[in-house]
Amino acid sequence: MLVGLAAGIVLGILAHLTLHGNPFLDGVVRYVTDPIGKIFLRLLFVLVVPLIVSALSLGVAGLGDMSRLGRIGLKTLAYTIVVSSIAVLIGVALVNLVRPGEGLPPELKERLLSRPAAALPSAPTSGNTGMDFVVALVPSNAIKAMAEGDMLAVMVFSLLLGVGLTLTRTDAARRFEDVLQGLYDVVMRLLGLVIQVAPIAVACLLFTLTANLGWEILIQLGAYVLVVVTALAIQQFVVYSISVAWLGGMNPVHFFRSIREAMLTAFSTASSNATLPTSLYVAEEHLRLPRHVSRFVLTIGSTANQNGTALFEGVTVLFLAQFYGVDLSIAQQLTVVFICILGGIGTAGVPAGSIPVVIMILGMVGVPAEGIGMILGVDRFLDMCRTTLNVTGDLAAAVVVSRGETLEPEAL
């Protein structure tokens, strides 16, 4: 994967510098590298729903009793809220210190803001907030939720299925549990086959990205990108190292060495959901975490523990506020922090899933939503970075929650 990653970046940059706008390069991207990358992503995505249903249901059923479910759930929720809050506060502090939105040249503003409006995602409607959001978590039709990719609703259904398996102590229920275990085993086997072609797919994904983007936009928006990446790095290597060592009782060096496969998959796919199969694999095979804990925490975390997404949303909103000269008070910035924490819980774990949430927050604090057009040029790269943080955070949470949930602490 590392070789594919490096090859895709280097060849993509060279192609952008020498063949940008050339029909040959456009043909290579359109008919070769882009389809291969998309097929790889689809192979990962097609495994997500059966994996969530089987892994989360088995994870809850494996707890054995509802008291363990409540304990693990509360530990996961508390850890997620605290660590997400730290992530957003780091981002807000850095963006206020560096103030990247005040240094962009006027010609860059005009060119970026002239991007077609059709490229912008639509903002969520008011019906998807407050109690409507809570009600929508419970699906009226589980099959429809799976077909529409409503991951939160699928997770709620899977949780209910696991609770039902825990409470129903019959032979038929145990046979159904065996069926779910078989489904899980098959999905993990298919994952192994997909991972075998990952180096080629990763090279194609990165070639498509760099051949189209190049380095120009990254240089022009360097201050903004630097703030985001620096904040992500602090959260990744400082906050998570402390939490893993202090709360999880694990050597951070061992932790990062064990999860590097999941980090690379997250970086190349920019999707927590697509990385979920790999995360479950490294949690069980490399970190040796209890299966019932890792399945529960990681499947929930792929959507509900988006520390990198929350951090990115906070930095982006304040950056665009600086860009448009909108002075946000401390109270307004704290409101942004709170909304970003909630947004990190409810954001879809797919590429660019946080963009609609950013648009919603911009409208709430009085910043022109069309400013998101400036972010789209560099969002793919930043999405890859924050997804890596999201996945690392899920695995760190699994390590922390696993402590005390096993009779074999040496396995950690």
Side-chain angles (χ1 to χ4, degrees), residues 129-157:
T129 62
M131 289 308 299
D132 289 335
F133 173 77
V134 175
V135 172
L137 289 177
V138 182
S140 59
N141 187 322
I143 303 301
K144 181 180 178 181
M146 295 177 191
E148 294 178 349
D150 187 351
M151 291 304 172
L152 285 175
V154 172
M155 287 180 179
V156 170
F157 168 74

PDB file of all heavy atoms in Angstrom, residues 129-157:
ATOM      1  N   THR A 129     -33.163  17.989  11.938  1.00  0.00           N
ATOM      2  CA  THR A 129     -32.528  18.478  13.150  1.00  0.00           C
ATOM      3  C   THR A 129     -33.446  18.233  14.338  1.00  0.00           C
ATOM      4  O   THR A 129     -34.631  17.933  14.184  1.00  0.00           O
ATOM      5  CB  THR A 129     -32.213  19.982  13.033  1.00  0.00           C
ATOM      6  OG1 THR A 129     -33.445  20.695  12.860  1.00  0.00           O
ATOM      7  CG2 THR A 129     -31.293  20.256  11.859  1.00  0.00           C
ATOM      8  N   GLY A 130     -32.902  18.408  15.540  1.00  0.00           N
ATOM      9  CA  GLY A 130     -33.704  18.304  16.755  1.00  0.00           C
ATOM     10  C   GLY A 130     -34.347  16.943  16.903  1.00  0.00           C
ATOM     11  O   GLY A 130     -33.752  15.894  16.633  1.00  0.00           O
ATOM     12  N   MET A 131     -35.616  16.953  17.343  1.00  0.00           N
ATOM     13  CA  MET A 131     -36.323  15.714  17.617  1.00  0.00           C
ATOM     14  C   MET A 131     -36.599  14.922  16.341  1.00  0.00           C
ATOM     15  O   MET A 131     -36.697  13.692  16.384  1.00  0.00           O
ATOM     16  CB  MET A 131     -37.644  16.012  18.333  1.00  0.00           C
ATOM     17  CG  MET A 131     -37.467  16.482  19.772  1.00  0.00           C
ATOM     18  SD  MET A 131     -36.425  15.352  20.755  1.00  0.00           S
ATOM     19  CE  MET A 131     -37.393  13.848  20.673  1.00  0.00           C
ATOM     20  N   ASP A 132     -36.718  15.619  15.193  1.00  0.00           N
ATOM     21  CA  ASP A 132     -36.899  14.906  13.924  1.00  0.00           C
ATOM     22  C   ASP A 132     -35.715  13.994  13.647  1.00  0.00           C
ATOM     23  O   ASP A 132     -35.868  12.881  13.132  1.00  0.00           O
ATOM     24  CB  ASP A 132     -37.071  15.902  12.771  1.00  0.00           C
ATOM     25  CG  ASP A 132     -38.412  16.611  12.821  1.00  0.00           C
ATOM     26  OD1 ASP A 132     -39.349  16.037  13.403  1.00  0.00           O
ATOM     27  OD2 ASP A 132     -38.509  17.721  12.296  1.00  0.00           O
ATOM     28  N   PHE A 133     -34.513  14.486  13.999  1.00  0.00           N
ATOM     29  CA  PHE A 133     -33.315  13.673  13.812  1.00  0.00           C
ATOM     30  C   PHE A 133     -33.360  12.444  14.714  1.00  0.00           C
ATOM     31  O   PHE A 133     -33.023  11.335  14.294  1.00  0.00           O
ATOM     32  CB  PHE A 133     -32.077  14.514  14.120  1.00  0.00           C
ATOM     33  CG  PHE A 133     -30.792  13.738  14.112  1.00  0.00           C
ATOM     34  CD1 PHE A 133     -30.182  13.376  12.923  1.00  0.00           C
ATOM     35  CD2 PHE A 133     -30.201  13.356  15.301  1.00  0.00           C
ATOM     36  CE1 PHE A 133     -28.998  12.653  12.909  1.00  0.00           C
ATOM     37  CE2 PHE A 133     -29.012  12.636  15.303  1.00  0.00           C
ATOM     38  CZ  PHE A 133     -28.416  12.282  14.106  1.00  0.00           C
ATOM     39  N   VAL A 134     -33.805  12.634  15.975  1.00  0.00           N
ATOM     40  CA  VAL A 134     -33.882  11.517  16.916  1.00  0.00           C
ATOM     41  C   VAL A 134     -34.891  10.487  16.434  1.00  0.00           C
ATOM     42  O   VAL A 134     -34.640   9.274  16.454  1.00  0.00           O
ATOM     43  CB  VAL A 134     -34.256  12.029  18.325  1.00  0.00           C
ATOM     44  CG1 VAL A 134     -34.455  10.852  19.289  1.00  0.00           C
ATOM     45  CG2 VAL A 134     -33.178  12.969  18.850  1.00  0.00           C
ATOM     46  N   VAL A 135     -36.054  10.966  15.966  1.00  0.00           N
ATOM     47  CA  VAL A 135     -37.087  10.049  15.472  1.00  0.00           C
ATOM     48  C   VAL A 135     -36.581   9.273  14.261  1.00  0.00           C
ATOM     49  O   VAL A 135     -36.831   8.064  14.124  1.00  0.00           O
ATOM     50  CB  VAL A 135     -38.366  10.833  15.116  1.00  0.00           C
ATOM     51  CG1 VAL A 135     -39.376   9.925  14.410  1.00  0.00           C
ATOM     52  CG2 VAL A 135     -38.984  11.432  16.372  1.00  0.00           C
ATOM     53  N   ALA A 136     -35.832   9.961  13.375  1.00  0.00           N
ATOM     54  CA  ALA A 136     -35.348   9.323  12.148  1.00  0.00           C
ATOM     55  C   ALA A 136     -34.310   8.250  12.424  1.00  0.00           C
ATOM     56  O   ALA A 136     -34.015   7.429  11.549  1.00  0.00           O
ATOM     57  CB  ALA A 136     -34.778  10.377  11.196  1.00  0.00           C
ATOM     58  N   LEU A 137     -33.745   8.248  13.640  1.00  0.00           N
ATOM     59  CA  LEU A 137     -32.769   7.208  13.968  1.00  0.00           C
ATOM     60  C   LEU A 137     -33.404   5.824  13.979  1.00  0.00           C
ATOM     61  O   LEU A 137     -32.735   4.824  13.704  1.00  0.00           O
ATOM     62  CB  LEU A 137     -32.141   7.484  15.341  1.00  0.00           C
ATOM     63  CG  LEU A 137     -31.175   8.662  15.439  1.00  0.00           C
ATOM     64  CD1 LEU A 137     -30.705   8.835  16.872  1.00  0.00           C
ATOM     65  CD2 LEU A 137     -29.987   8.474  14.512  1.00  0.00           C
ATOM     66  N   VAL A 138     -34.682   5.757  14.315  1.00  0.00           N
ATOM     67  CA  VAL A 138     -35.378   4.469  14.363  1.00  0.00           C
ATOM     68  C   VAL A 138     -36.039   4.230  13.010  1.00  0.00           C
ATOM     69  O   VAL A 138     -36.974   4.942  12.630  1.00  0.00           O
ATOM     70  CB  VAL A 138     -36.446   4.455  15.472  1.00  0.00           C
ATOM     71  CG1 VAL A 138     -37.127   3.085  15.536  1.00  0.00           C
ATOM     72  CG2 VAL A 138     -35.812   4.800  16.813  1.00  0.00           C
ATOM     73  N   PRO A 139     -35.577   3.240  12.250  1.00  0.00           N
ATOM     74  CA  PRO A 139     -36.110   3.041  10.898  1.00  0.00           C
ATOM     75  C   PRO A 139     -37.504   2.431  10.931  1.00  0.00           C
ATOM     76  O   PRO A 139     -37.799   1.559  11.750  1.00  0.00           O
ATOM     77  CB  PRO A 139     -35.100   2.074  10.268  1.00  0.00           C
ATOM     78  CG  PRO A 139     -34.536   1.314  11.431  1.00  0.00           C
ATOM     79  CD  PRO A 139     -34.515   2.282  12.585  1.00  0.00           C
ATOM     80  N   SER A 140     -38.369   2.909  10.045  1.00  0.00           N
ATOM     81  CA  SER A 140     -39.682   2.287   9.889  1.00  0.00           C
ATOM     82  C   SER A 140     -39.582   1.049   9.006  1.00  0.00           C
ATOM     83  O   SER A 140     -40.451   0.181   9.034  1.00  0.00           O
ATOM     84  CB  SER A 140     -40.676   3.282   9.274  1.00  0.00           C
ATOM     85  OG  SER A 140     -40.207   3.733   8.007  1.00  0.00           O
ATOM     86  N   ASN A 141     -38.530   0.965   8.219  1.00  0.00           N
ATOM     87  CA  ASN A 141     -38.305  -0.165   7.323  1.00  0.00           C
ATOM     88  C   ASN A 141     -36.799  -0.417   7.262  1.00  0.00           C
ATOM     89  O   ASN A 141     -36.067   0.370   6.674  1.00  0.00           O
ATOM     90  CB  ASN A 141     -38.866   0.134   5.934  1.00  0.00           C
ATOM     91  CG  ASN A 141     -38.813  -1.071   5.010  1.00  0.00           C
ATOM     92  OD1 ASN A 141     -37.866  -1.843   5.031  1.00  0.00           O
ATOM     93  ND2 ASN A 141     -39.837  -1.225   4.195  1.00  0.00           N
ATOM     94  N   ALA A 142     -36.353  -1.487   7.890  1.00  0.00           N
ATOM     95  CA  ALA A 142     -34.917  -1.763   7.969  1.00  0.00           C
ATOM     96  C   ALA A 142     -34.308  -2.013   6.592  1.00  0.00           C
ATOM     97  O   ALA A 142     -33.189  -1.574   6.310  1.00  0.00           O
ATOM     98  CB  ALA A 142     -34.662  -2.969   8.873  1.00  0.00           C
ATOM     99  N   ILE A 143     -35.047  -2.712   5.733  1.00  0.00           N
ATOM    100  CA  ILE A 143     -34.537  -2.998   4.388  1.00  0.00           C
ATOM    101  C   ILE A 143     -34.378  -1.704   3.596  1.00  0.00           C
ATOM    102  O   ILE A 143     -33.387  -1.506   2.877  1.00  0.00           O
ATOM    103  CB  ILE A 143     -35.481  -3.968   3.644  1.00  0.00           C
ATOM    104  CG1 ILE A 143     -35.660  -5.260   4.452  1.00  0.00           C
ATOM    105  CG2 ILE A 143     -34.918  -4.280   2.264  1.00  0.00           C
ATOM    106  CD1 ILE A 143     -34.378  -6.008   4.715  1.00  0.00           C
ATOM    107  N   LYS A 144     -35.344  -0.794   3.735  1.00  0.00           N
ATOM    108  CA  LYS A 144     -35.260   0.491   3.050  1.00  0.00           C
ATOM    109  C   LYS A 144     -34.062   1.292   3.550  1.00  0.00           C
ATOM    110  O   LYS A 144     -33.357   1.936   2.764  1.00  0.00           O
ATOM    111  CB  LYS A 144     -36.552   1.283   3.261  1.00  0.00           C
ATOM    112  CG  LYS A 144     -36.575   2.630   2.557  1.00  0.00           C
ATOM    113  CD  LYS A 144     -37.893   3.353   2.811  1.00  0.00           C
ATOM    114  CE  LYS A 144     -37.884   4.729   2.140  1.00  0.00           C
ATOM    115  NZ  LYS A 144     -39.154   5.469   2.408  1.00  0.00           N
ATOM    116  N   ALA A 145     -33.823   1.266   4.858  1.00  0.00           N
ATOM    117  CA  ALA A 145     -32.665   1.973   5.424  1.00  0.00           C
ATOM    118  C   ALA A 145     -31.370   1.419   4.860  1.00  0.00           C
ATOM    119  O   ALA A 145     -30.436   2.175   4.555  1.00  0.00           O
ATOM    120  CB  ALA A 145     -32.679   1.861   6.945  1.00  0.00           C
ATOM    121  N   MET A 146     -31.285   0.107   4.700  1.00  0.00           N
ATOM    122  CA  MET A 146     -30.084  -0.501   4.124  1.00  0.00           C
ATOM    123  C   MET A 146     -29.922  -0.104   2.666  1.00  0.00           C
ATOM    124  O   MET A 146     -28.817   0.208   2.211  1.00  0.00           O
ATOM    125  CB  MET A 146     -30.157  -2.022   4.246  1.00  0.00           C
ATOM    126  CG  MET A 146     -30.148  -2.544   5.666  1.00  0.00           C
ATOM    127  SD  MET A 146     -30.329  -4.345   5.727  1.00  0.00           S
ATOM    128  CE  MET A 146     -30.609  -4.604   7.473  1.00  0.00           C
ATOM    129  N   ALA A 147     -31.034  -0.107   1.925  1.00  0.00           N
ATOM    130  CA  ALA A 147     -30.969   0.226   0.499  1.00  0.00           C
ATOM    131  C   ALA A 147     -30.582   1.682   0.283  1.00  0.00           C
ATOM    132  O   ALA A 147     -29.870   2.012  -0.668  1.00  0.00           O
ATOM    133  CB  ALA A 147     -32.319  -0.062  -0.165  1.00  0.00           C
ATOM    134  N   GLU A 148     -31.035   2.574   1.168  1.00  0.00           N
ATOM    135  CA  GLU A 148     -30.736   3.995   1.022  1.00  0.00           C
ATOM    136  C   GLU A 148     -29.426   4.394   1.668  1.00  0.00           C
ATOM    137  O   GLU A 148     -29.023   5.557   1.595  1.00  0.00           O
ATOM    138  CB  GLU A 148     -31.879   4.820   1.633  1.00  0.00           C
ATOM    139  CG  GLU A 148     -33.203   4.674   0.891  1.00  0.00           C
ATOM    140  CD  GLU A 148     -34.320   5.467   1.541  1.00  0.00           C
ATOM    141  OE1 GLU A 148     -34.109   5.947   2.679  1.00  0.00           O
ATOM    142  OE2 GLU A 148     -35.381   5.620   0.907  1.00  0.00           O
ATOM    143  N   GLY A 149     -28.747   3.457   2.327  1.00  0.00           N
ATOM    144  CA  GLY A 149     -27.463   3.761   2.947  1.00  0.00           C
ATOM    145  C   GLY A 149     -27.579   4.622   4.183  1.00  0.00           C
ATOM    146  O   GLY A 149     -26.653   5.362   4.533  1.00  0.00           O
ATOM    147  N   ASP A 150     -28.726   4.545   4.884  1.00  0.00           N
ATOM    148  CA  ASP A 150     -28.916   5.295   6.123  1.00  0.00           C
ATOM    149  C   ASP A 150     -28.225   4.525   7.244  1.00  0.00           C
ATOM    150  O   ASP A 150     -28.837   3.721   7.954  1.00  0.00           O
ATOM    151  CB  ASP A 150     -30.415   5.453   6.400  1.00  0.00           C
ATOM    152  CG  ASP A 150     -30.692   6.379   7.578  1.00  0.00           C
ATOM    153  OD1 ASP A 150     -29.728   6.751   8.279  1.00  0.00           O
ATOM    154  OD2 ASP A 150     -31.861   6.725   7.798  1.00  0.00           O
ATOM    155  N   MET A 151     -26.913   4.810   7.420  1.00  0.00           N
ATOM    156  CA  MET A 151     -26.101   3.995   8.317  1.00  0.00           C
ATOM    157  C   MET A 151     -26.528   4.097   9.774  1.00  0.00           C
ATOM    158  O   MET A 151     -26.469   3.117  10.520  1.00  0.00           O
ATOM    159  CB  MET A 151     -24.627   4.379   8.163  1.00  0.00           C
ATOM    160  CG  MET A 151     -24.035   3.992   6.828  1.00  0.00           C
ATOM    161  SD  MET A 151     -24.221   2.225   6.503  1.00  0.00           S
ATOM    162  CE  MET A 151     -23.667   2.148   4.805  1.00  0.00           C
ATOM    163  N   LEU A 152     -26.948   5.281  10.214  1.00  0.00           N
ATOM    164  CA  LEU A 152     -27.381   5.406  11.604  1.00  0.00           C
ATOM    165  C   LEU A 152     -28.615   4.545  11.872  1.00  0.00           C
ATOM    166  O   LEU A 152     -28.710   3.876  12.904  1.00  0.00           O
ATOM    167  CB  LEU A 152     -27.669   6.870  11.927  1.00  0.00           C
ATOM    168  CG  LEU A 152     -26.443   7.772  12.123  1.00  0.00           C
ATOM    169  CD1 LEU A 152     -26.870   9.219  12.311  1.00  0.00           C
ATOM    170  CD2 LEU A 152     -25.618   7.308  13.312  1.00  0.00           C
ATOM    171  N   ALA A 153     -29.563   4.561  10.930  1.00  0.00           N
ATOM    172  CA  ALA A 153     -30.759   3.737  11.085  1.00  0.00           C
ATOM    173  C   ALA A 153     -30.407   2.249  11.042  1.00  0.00           C
ATOM    174  O   ALA A 153     -30.965   1.448  11.798  1.00  0.00           O
ATOM    175  CB  ALA A 153     -31.779   4.074  10.002  1.00  0.00           C
ATOM    176  N   VAL A 154     -29.481   1.875  10.165  1.00  0.00           N
ATOM    177  CA  VAL A 154     -29.038   0.475  10.098  1.00  0.00           C
ATOM    178  C   VAL A 154     -28.384   0.061  11.407  1.00  0.00           C
ATOM    179  O   VAL A 154     -28.595  -1.051  11.905  1.00  0.00           O
ATOM    180  CB  VAL A 154     -28.064   0.280   8.913  1.00  0.00           C
ATOM    181  CG1 VAL A 154     -27.439  -1.116   8.957  1.00  0.00           C
ATOM    182  CG2 VAL A 154     -28.784   0.481   7.594  1.00  0.00           C
ATOM    183  N   MET A 155     -27.614   0.977  12.004  1.00  0.00           N
ATOM    184  CA  MET A 155     -26.964   0.669  13.277  1.00  0.00           C
ATOM    185  C   MET A 155     -27.981   0.484  14.396  1.00  0.00           C
ATOM    186  O   MET A 155     -27.847  -0.408  15.243  1.00  0.00           O
ATOM    187  CB  MET A 155     -25.968   1.771  13.639  1.00  0.00           C
ATOM    188  CG  MET A 155     -24.718   1.757  12.800  1.00  0.00           C
ATOM    189  SD  MET A 155     -23.581   3.069  13.278  1.00  0.00           S
ATOM    190  CE  MET A 155     -22.233   2.733  12.137  1.00  0.00           C
ATOM    191  N   VAL A 156     -29.009   1.334  14.405  1.00  0.00           N
ATOM    192  CA  VAL A 156     -30.045   1.196  15.425  1.00  0.00           C
ATOM    193  C   VAL A 156     -30.750  -0.152  15.264  1.00  0.00           C
ATOM    194  O   VAL A 156     -30.988  -0.861  16.259  1.00  0.00           O
ATOM    195  CB  VAL A 156     -31.054   2.355  15.327  1.00  0.00           C
ATOM    196  CG1 VAL A 156     -32.261   2.097  16.223  1.00  0.00           C
ATOM    197  CG2 VAL A 156     -30.388   3.672  15.721  1.00  0.00           C
ATOM    198  N   PHE A 157     -31.064  -0.523  14.026  1.00  0.00           N
ATOM    199  CA  PHE A 157     -31.686  -1.827  13.790  1.00  0.00           C
ATOM    200  C   PHE A 157     -30.770  -2.960  14.250  1.00  0.00           C
ATOM    201  O   PHE A 157     -31.226  -3.926  14.882  1.00  0.00           O
ATOM    202  CB  PHE A 157     -32.015  -1.985  12.305  1.00  0.00           C
ATOM    203  CG  PHE A 157     -32.399  -3.389  11.913  1.00  0.00           C
ATOM    204  CD1 PHE A 157     -33.639  -3.914  12.261  1.00  0.00           C
ATOM    205  CD2 PHE A 157     -31.514  -4.203  11.213  1.00  0.00           C
ATOM    206  CE1 PHE A 157     -33.988  -5.211  11.913  1.00  0.00           C
ATOM    207  CE2 PHE A 157     -31.849  -5.485  10.864  1.00  0.00           C
ATOM    208  CZ  PHE A 157     -33.093  -6.003  11.216  1.00  0.00           C
TER     209      PHE A 157
END
